[in-house]
Amino acid sequence: MAGCQRRNTRQRQVVLEQLRACYCHPTAGELYQRVREYLPRISLGTVYRNLDILQENGQAIRLAGVMGSEARFDGRCEPHLHFQCGQCGQILDLQTEYPALDELVGTTVEGHTVTSYQVLLHGDCRTCALSGRE
Amino acid sequence: MAGCQRRNTRQRQVVLEQLRACYCHPTAGELYQRVREYLPRISLGTVYRNLDILQENGQAIRLAGVMGSEARFDGRCEPHLHFQCGQCGQILDLQTEYPALDELVGTTVEGHTVTSYQVLLHGDCRTCALSGRE
DNA sequence: ATCGTTGCAAAATATTTGCAGTTGA
DNA sequence: TCAACTGCAAATATTTTGCAACGAT
């Protein structure tokens, strides 16, 4: 179903809307809970299917492999840095820019054409650092 | 079991050995298959448990942001770029270096202390591009 | 001897899918 | 129309865990 004529369903709209409204890089399950406030009868399968389609459209990004075994999603698609705290697990968008990486997009690196990138910084977030947890 | 005295078991040795011997950034299941050639009675649970411990030890990395729903692992821990092909899904290590990011390690970005990072480039690999697939 | 580790099997999680009915273009 | 989409429920896939036996130190 990749090259077909997509329809603009209410479910797809609300999934995208709530993904964008939410700064927490939600898992599919978390997003499902939020979307259910607007579409109580939506199913988790539909959320997964729409997340796949939104990725194809370039309207969502999947962050797999971040701590924990659930994939997380981001509705902000301009390349930007992510930071994940090793203590609280929270994922944050950073404003800091890396022109060196932006310049790779559209070029070829070691023979491979680059169309986008993801950066994940690991460490201890300000809140955890201040609270002195170790 | 995080702060305990680790033992150097044969299972842990072989898991690390095969992770390093393998340039394909294997999933836990793929690694399990390889390790079984040497330790036929090892269980998948043990592979998962050892991958967790190796990550704690800084001897393995769980790749962030990769396509697909299984986690993938890398036994090469010096920071380096990864590239994943959107067509064949293959993940490659790149040699290209990005000092700008190395410099972030040990510093604070927007208040958050950075201890490590991962970069994943997306695009079309040379092989897929040459084979003209779209 | 101690206690971290293992294999096994079951449980818990997470994701995908078949299908019949619904709906957007 | 009619093919894309949905809800539901079942199927799969992935990861984690309890437990008794084992083995490194």
Side-chain angles (χ1 to χ4, degrees):
Chain A
M1 320 292 143
C4 62
Q5 181 51 51
R6 296 294 182 201
R7 289 177 186 167
N8 188 22
T9 64
R10 179 102 182 95
Q11 285 86 342
R12 187 123 76 233
Q13 285 165 23
V14 178
V15 167
L16 181 55
E17 226 166 78
Q18 290 306 305
L19 178 59
R20 286 180 173 161
C22 162
Y23 285 77
C24 65
H25 304 81
T27 63
E30 287 164 356
L31 191 53
Y32 169 60
Q33 294 304 336
R34 291 187 64 123
V35 169
R36 280 225 287 184
E37 294 173 22
Y38 302 86
L39 300 173
R41 306 192 61 73
I42 198 173
S43 71
L44 181 55
T46 294
V47 172
Y48 272 107
R49 283 186 281 222
N50 277 308
L51 283 169
D52 280 349
I53 292 170
L54 292 172
Q55 284 175 85
E56 274 180 21
N57 294 354
Q59 298 171 290
I61 288 174
R62 173 190 202 123
L63 306 172
V66 283
M67 289 165 104
S69 46
E70 275 179 278
R72 293 187 166 272
F73 298 86
D74 192 342
R76 274 160 284 282
C77 298
E78 332 71 66
H80 60 276
L81 303 190
H82 287 118
F83 178 92
Q84 184 169 37
C85 177
Q87 291 174 51
C88 66
Q90 182 183 201
I91 299 173
L92 303 162
D93 290 321
L94 298 184
Q95 305 310 314
T96 310
E97 295 201 359
Y98 275 84
L101 282 169
D102 288 329
E103 281 167 15
L104 288 183
V105 174
T107 70
T108 281
V109 175
E110 297 175 31
H112 314 293
T113 307
V114 178
T115 56
S116 70
Y117 67 86
Q118 285 186 47
V119 178
L120 181 63
L121 303 179
H122 286 281
D124 305 305
C125 76
R126 174 160 48 184
T127 309
C128 286
L130 287 179
S131 74
R133 272 185 270 166
E134 214 293 83
Chain B
M1 319 287 140
C4 62
Q5 181 52 52
R6 295 294 182 198
R7 287 174 188 171
N8 189 22
T9 64
R10 180 100 182 95
Q11 285 86 341
R12 186 123 75 231
Q13 285 164 26
V14 178
V15 167
L16 181 55
E17 225 165 80
Q18 291 305 306
L19 179 60
R20 287 179 172 162
C22 164
Y23 284 77
C24 66
H25 306 80
T27 63
E30 287 164 356
L31 191 54
Y32 170 60
Q33 294 303 335
R34 292 188 66 122
V35 169
R36 280 223 286 184
E37 294 172 22
Y38 302 87
L39 301 172
R41 306 192 61 73
I42 198 174
S43 70
L44 181 55
T46 295
V47 171
Y48 272 106
R49 283 186 281 222
N50 277 309
L51 281 169
D52 281 348
I53 291 168
L54 291 171
Q55 285 176 82
E56 274 179 22
N57 293 353
Q59 298 171 289
I61 288 174
R62 178 191 292 248
L63 299 187
V66 295
M67 305 184 333
S69 48
E70 276 179 278
R72 293 188 164 272
F73 299 86
D74 192 344
R76 275 161 282 283
C77 298
E78 332 71 67
H80 60 278
L81 299 189
H82 287 115
F83 177 92
Q84 185 167 36
C85 176
Q87 291 174 49
C88 67
Q90 182 184 200
I91 300 172
L92 304 161
D93 290 320
L94 299 184
Q95 306 309 313
T96 311
E97 295 202 357
Y98 281 83
L101 283 166
D102 285 331
E103 284 166 11
L104 289 184
V105 175
T107 71
T108 282
V109 175
E110 298 175 30
H112 315 293
T113 308
V114 178
T115 56
S116 70
Y117 68 88
Q118 284 187 51
V119 181
L120 181 64
L121 304 180
H122 286 281
D124 305 305
C125 77
R126 174 158 49 185
T127 309
C128 286
L130 288 177
S131 74
R133 271 185 270 167
E134 214 290 85

